[in-house]
Amino acid sequence: MDAHAAAPEMQMQGLAVLCNLAVSGENRAEIAALGGIEAILTAMNRHATVSAVQEEGCGVIRNLALTLSNKTVIAAQGGIEAVVAAMEAHQDDATIQDQGVQALRNLAFQCPENKARIAELHGIEAVLRAMSLHIEEVPVQKQACRALCNLAVHVSNQAKIAELGGIETILCTMEVHWAVVAVQEQGCEVLRNLAANSQNQAKIVHAGGLNSILQAMKTHSKEVNVQKHGSGVLRSLAVNTRNKSTIAAVGGIEVILDAMKRHAGEAGLQEQAFQALRNLALNCSSNQCAIAALGGIESVLEAMTTHAQAEDMQRQGCGVLSNLAANSQNQQLIAALGGIEAVLRSMQDHSGASGLQELGCGVLCNLAFENGQNKERIASLGGIEAVLKAMSRHISAVNVQKMGCGALCNVAGNSALNKAIILRCGGVEAVLMAMEEHVSSAELQAQGCQALRCLAVSDLNEVRDATLRGVEAVLSAMGQGSGDEDKVGYQGAREALSGVLDTAFTRTRHSLVGGARAALKAVGMDAQRFPWSCSPSRAPDSVAALGGVEAVLKAMRAHPTVSSVQEQGCGALRNLAINVDDQAKIASLGGIEIVLKAMETHPSSAGVQEQACGVLYILAVDDGRLLKIVALGGIEVVLRAMGANVAAARIEAGEWPQWT
């Protein structure tokens, strides 16, 4: 080729030989090592107007680019420019366009630098132009879609393809070639990659893409790859909130479930379908109901049984069940169909997979939420132990710890037996270890505080009753005085705080404080000597003894501006404070200051204000702590909260703050 550089026929023949030789991987490496890439590009640049040279040149680059090391060499020596120039100069030649898009496809595959470089050199425009000019040519359309699919893996290219009309071009070819399996398959695959861009999700639906995808899946229901890539597009589109209901309205859920039934043995398809159902169900109650009504829960559980050893599929299956379990009726159905057993089996079989353990804990968390039967069943089947095992093995995985704490909290809620099991199995230690390991994660700290809050008391009624008794004791003490203290300052503080509390609680419909006061008087009991420290629950003592108070205060100090951490932290302190010894511990470790700071920082958060007041009510039963609350400006803080009407609606309606 070097000796006859000016002879286009000789160059064409040489390129054709190299193209055939480059089918072999060993030959591709040798051609590059002997300077073949430079010779190929020299021929293409010197004979730019000779279509045969350009055709063979693009063909040999296509083959050489199958080797990863060659991709960068070809790009560095100007190979991308040569291919794009060939496609530009010979727009009407379908064969050159076909070879050109294949060359760009291979150059872009698994090479981020080339993806970006092709876009910079107008390669995307060249591919889309080839599709538009040769709409009837199936090979061009198929290979062009493959090229776009590889290019669309690059984030910036996703937006650029859409801006250049790529979505409309792809949908056009899918419509023209609706009966061609390869075009439908590749069209769905490139749309799937483009839909990773949030703006493209809306654009695809707006351009009629949803109908094209569903039509492809219905027409080619027996084709596994069409179903897999079609489900993949729906998965990405369903990330968009508006698209969820649109997909369901046009029958998308039915199409996905039909694909799962027809191709039950295809793990890859099942995984894509799981992801689509998972996204469709996320925060969409209507889709949660629709999926269940159409037999989606049964399909998911059957697939999980069939592909028990497919880790990714099990993970996605747990993700679907977790989102579906946000619906109370689905909680019952999942449990009745053996969903709890399926999840625990998956967690046991794939104990080393942190992502699966995270979602498995998430399913148990949602199934147990306010569902007594599911709580009992999860515990009886070893679910508590499974959660703790996951937390222990994956201590560095923050999401596993977060979901684990959530699961323990929900399984323990309103179940003294489950709380006892959790305590016996080391659940408190697991929560504390998670909080210590992930101090910087506000979400984990909030979830950890909530779990400790739940585990810190074995009987919620005991807390409710104790708090009412504590409020009465505080009010009674404020009204009487002891005679030993500074009568002016101390009595004034008592009267001021008494006014604040009386204003809040005597406005309630059933006058909780008034009822407690009347009850105490009826039995002739002196409120000042009320037996506050009687029979403390074992649970608060266990949590505090293991460092629960310190952990909660550490979390609140670390995340002062995060309302969820402050609310759950105050809630945990309130429950821990049922134990008289822990009241002193909370105060000595700076708990009063932290609680007041939470109220000052989050004046508009009803949850923070309610839980913080709950802590102050209990701590203020002691005269010394009461003085400290007053000295630290507690009266002003409470007054500001009331002035901002925080939780005023609940107080006005006679509702007691939520105890969870």
Side-chain angles (χ1 to χ4, degrees), residues 403-434:
M403 289 298 182
C405 287
L408 293 176
C409 182
N410 285 355
V411 170
N414 292 324
S415 175
L417 177 60
N418 286 358
K419 290 181 183 180
I421 295 173
I422 292 170
L423 290 169
R424 186 183 70 242
C425 293
V428 173
E429 293 91 331
V431 173
L432 294 175
M433 185 176 296

Side-chain angles (χ1 to χ4, degrees), residues 14 25 32 235 265 271 374 396 514 537 641:
R235 173 204 70 192
E271 183 183 344
N374 283 357
S396 61
S537 166

